Amino acid sequence: MKEKLRLLIDDNSTRQGKIFDYSIQFLIIASLIAFAVETLPGNDPAVIEMLYSFEVFCVIIFTAEYLLRIIIAKNPWKYIFSFYGFIDLFAILPFYLTKAFDLRALRAFRIFRIFRALKLIRYNRAMQRIHIAAQLVKEEIMLFLIITGIFTYLTSCGIYFFEYEAQPEVFSSIFHSLWWAIVTLTTVGYGDVYPITLGGKIFTFFVLIIGVGVVTVPAGLVSSAVSKARQIQEDQVSADLASHQ
């Protein structure tokens, strides 16, 4: 029985598995739409009651799915503390928390219902590819973020020393200069804060050149990782087909 459930829930190459996946996807999207409809002002009481009934139905299905995934998992604790395990749990936890405790403050946990959108990652190969790509380049991205943080700090210091005397109310400290540094390095350039001294303008020119790299480097990393992730998925599909044969 456990093996049959595993094929139904984890294997979307079969007809039954596809029906299960598509049904869950439909419920996820429908529940997100219902969540958005709930926020509309002046909803009719009948509509509110219908939305609540649908919410209860979705929570029952998602809870059953969560429990079944724990049952069929080869290592239940590994699933519970995995990325998907947390997403599946957070998709249903707010409902039970707000029902178990009659505290209005706990309604804030309803925001975790947006985690249902992340559940779609499990049922979409393209989204899974992004997840694989993120795992492949996480170290490079972390290094890039550290370097970007250093550049941001140095840029804040540089513009502060160039512009403080001319615009003490705008660049009054390195912390106040951070906004300009972030906007300039990302090449957004809102124009609300800008240098007026010659040194500040020359400095800004070089910062903008660096900013082009700040924008393009992550795109190149992600593009390369997605290509590798596609190859990994294709190799995995080929291996699965060979094992079935």
Side-chain angles (χ1 to χ4, degrees), residues 52 92-104 106:
Y52 176 76
I92 59 176
L93 190 61
F95 179 86
Y96 293 112
L97 286 177
T98 54
K99 295 305 169 189
F101 304 98
D102 188 16
L103 297 173
R104 293 182 182 273
L106 288 178

Side-chain angles (χ1 to χ4, degrees), residues 19-200:
I19 292 174
F20 178 83
D21 280 0
Y22 292 149
S23 299
I24 294 295
Q25 288 182 53
F26 173 79
L27 277 181
I28 293 170
I29 295 172
S31 67
L32 291 172
I33 294 173
F35 179 43
V37 173
E38 283 182 24
T39 63
L40 291 174
N43 276 328
D44 188 87
V47 174
I48 295 174
E49 182 65 26
M50 181 180 67
L51 290 173
Y52 176 76
S53 299
F54 181 68
E55 169 68 7
V56 173
F57 172 75
C58 290
V59 168
I60 291 173
I61 298 298
F62 293 150
T63 302
E65 181 205 6
Y66 178 67
L67 295 176
L68 285 173
R69 288 190 181 278
I70 294 176
I71 292 172
I72 67 172
K74 295 179 180 179
N75 188 339
W77 290 110
K78 184 178 180 180
Y79 162 72
I80 291 172
F81 291 102
S82 67
F83 172 77
Y84 291 124
F86 281 120
I87 295 302
D88 292 344
L89 177 62
F90 288 148
I92 59 176
L93 190 61
F95 179 86
Y96 293 112
L97 286 177
T98 54
K99 295 305 169 189
F101 304 98
D102 188 16
L103 297 173
R104 293 182 182 273
L106 288 178
R107 290 182 180 177
F109 283 100
R110 290 168 65 86
I111 193 65
F112 283 104
R113 287 166 66 185
I114 64 176
F115 277 93
R116 291 179 187 173
L118 296 179
K119 283 170 66 67
L120 287 170
I121 297 175
R122 185 195 299 278
Y123 306 101
N124 190 296
R125 291 191 67 222
M127 291 183 179
Q128 288 178 340
R129 193 176 304 138
I130 297 297
H131 179 65
I132 296 172
Q135 294 295 318
L136 291 173
V137 295
K138 62 181 180 182
E139 294 181 1
E140 289 83 355
I141 292 295
M142 185 61 66
L143 177 61
F144 171 79
L145 291 175
I146 293 172
I147 295 174
T148 301
I150 294 172
F151 272 126
T152 303
Y153 177 77
L154 294 177
T155 302
S156 303
C157 295
I159 199 64
Y160 168 74
F161 289 120
F162 278 115
E163 294 293 321
Y164 171 69
E165 292 186 2
Q167 304 184 77
E169 71 286 348
V170 177
F171 298 97
S172 56
S173 70
I174 291 176
F175 291 105
H176 288 84
S177 303
L178 270 174
W179 171 248
W180 177 89
I182 294 170
V183 169
T184 305
L185 277 172
T186 55
T187 67
V188 176
Y190 288 118
D192 54 343
V193 180
Y194 54 88
I196 59 175
T197 65
L198 178 60

